[in-house]
Amino acid sequence: MSSSAEDWDPRRLPDLRGRTYLVTGANAGLGFFSSRQLVGAGAHVIMTGRSPNRLATARKALAADLPDAAGSVETLLLDTSNLGSVRAAAATVRQRGRLDGLLLNAGMVHAPATRQTTRDGNELVLATNALGHYALAGALLSTLAARRGRMVWLGSMSTSLGAKDPVDVQLTEGYTPWRAYVQSKTVTTAVGLEADRRLRAHHVPVTSVIAHPGYAPSGRTRGIRGINEPSRLGRFTDNLQAPVTQSKEHGAWSLVRALVDPAIEGGEFWGPRLIARGTPRRAQPAKLTRDPAIGERLWVMCENATRMRWPFEAARR
C-alpha cells in the first residue's frame, strides 16, 4: 500500500543519490521545478526540451538556484511532437544505460486556435502530450526494466470535468483548443492505466503511474529569469484565484512523489489533496479513463499512430 499523506514531506524528499531520472519539458514550468526538487534530493536528472538555448538557460538557472546540490544535471534535445526526435533521444539514453524513472511532463496547455498536424501526420496536441510520450516510454522500456524503474504520465484535473470518449482521437472534425487539450489528457491517463495492465500481464518490472498538478499558474509562481516571467497583469489575475490555485513548485509535488515514492504501486493516480492545490494524495482518475475497453482501443491507436509496439518480452528478460 502507498504511504499516507501524513508521512510524506514534499520539502524533504528521500535521498535520491545514485538515481537517474529523465524529465520531458524540463526547461520551464512543472518540468523545471520537478527537476529542481529531484536534483536537490541528490538525483542525476536528464532535462529534455525542444530548444537548446532554453535548455541551457534552465540548466544555468537550476545551478544558480541550487549551488550546493548533491545531484547533477545534463540536457538532451527532445521534441515529443516529432517521432524522429523521440527515437534519437531514446537511443542516446539507452547508450548511457541507466534510468530509474521517466517523468512524461512535456505538453501543450494552450493549444493552437486551429487544428495543426505534425510531420508524422498526427494532430499536434495529441502528438505532443500523448503520442510522443507513449513512443518514448516504449523505446526506454528495457532500460527502465533493468533498474525496476517507473514512468509517470502527466494527467489533468480537466478530465474529471466532462471528458468524453475520444472516438475521433485526431480531431478531424469539431476541433477546439480546449477539446484538443482535454482529449489529449484523457488519452494520456487511459494509456497510462493500460500500460500498467500490460506491464503486469507481461511481468515487466516497471510501474506506470499517473499524476496531476492541480491548478498551478505562472502568476502564482516565483519569478526566475528565462524560466517563469509572468506579466504584471498575469500575476495580478492569477493571484485573484489564490484560494483555488498554487505555485508550480507545489504543483510539482504530486509529480515528484509519484516518481520517487517507493510505496506507490502501478496504476495509481496522484494529485493535490484539495484537487486544485495542496500536498500529494492518492486520488481517483475519471471513470472514462479507467475503462479497460477504452484503454485497449487507445493503446492500439498509439501503436498505429507511432508505428511502434512496446518490447514487453525483451523488457521482461
Side-chain angles (χ1 to χ4, degrees), residues 132-148:
H133 286 138
Y134 163 88
L136 180 66
L140 293 174
L141 188 61
S142 294
T143 308
L144 273 177
R147 297 281 294 173
R148 306 184 72 84

Side-chain angles (χ1 to χ4, degrees), residues 118-286:
T118 67
R119 65 179 63 185
D120 302 298
N122 296 308
E123 188 275 314
L124 179 62
V125 184
L126 174 72
T128 304
N129 294 4
L131 297 178
H133 286 138
Y134 163 88
L136 180 66
L140 293 174
L141 188 61
S142 294
T143 308
L144 273 177
R147 297 281 294 173
R148 306 184 72 84
R150 180 176 296 171
M151 59 184 71
V152 174
W153 309 73
L154 189 67
S156 169
M157 64 182 192
S158 68
T159 57
S160 297
L161 303 175
K164 298 179 180 179
D165 185 355
V167 176
D168 179 13
V169 184
Q170 297 278 359
L171 289 178
T172 55
E173 297 181 3
Y175 176 95
T176 67
W178 175 248
R179 185 182 177 194
Y181 172 73
V182 175
Q183 183 157 289
S184 74
K185 289 303 180 180
T186 300
V187 172
T188 296
T189 303
V191 168
L193 295 173
E194 179 65 16
D196 171 66
R197 289 188 284 266
R198 292 182 181 236
L199 290 164
R200 291 176 185 270
H202 288 88
H203 305 290
V204 176
V206 172
T207 47
S208 176
V209 179
I210 300 93
H212 79 88
Y215 186 19
S218 296
R220 294 276 287 134
T221 307
R222 64 190 173 95
I224 300 177
R225 185 177 298 276
I227 305 300
N228 190 68
E229 299 179 285
S231 65
R232 287 186 178 181
L233 177 60
R235 195 171 284 285
F236 174 77
T237 303
D238 286 346
N239 279 315
L240 291 177
Q241 306 174 82
V244 292
T245 62
Q246 62 184 354
S247 67
K248 291 188 185 296
E249 293 105 315
H250 293 179
W253 283 352
S254 295
L255 281 57
V256 171
R257 180 171 186 179
L259 188 65
V260 307
D261 183 351
I264 289 177
E265 299 176 357
E268 293 187 10
F269 182 83
W270 282 75
R273 183 172 61 86
L274 300 176
I275 302 177
R277 56 187 287 271
T279 53
R281 63 157 183 125
R282 186 178 178 184
Q284 181 85 302

Side-chain angles (χ1 to χ4, degrees), residues 2-9 257 261:
S2 298
S3 307
S4 66
E6 288 72 22
D7 53 23
W8 181 271
D9 184 351
R257 180 171 186 179
D261 183 351

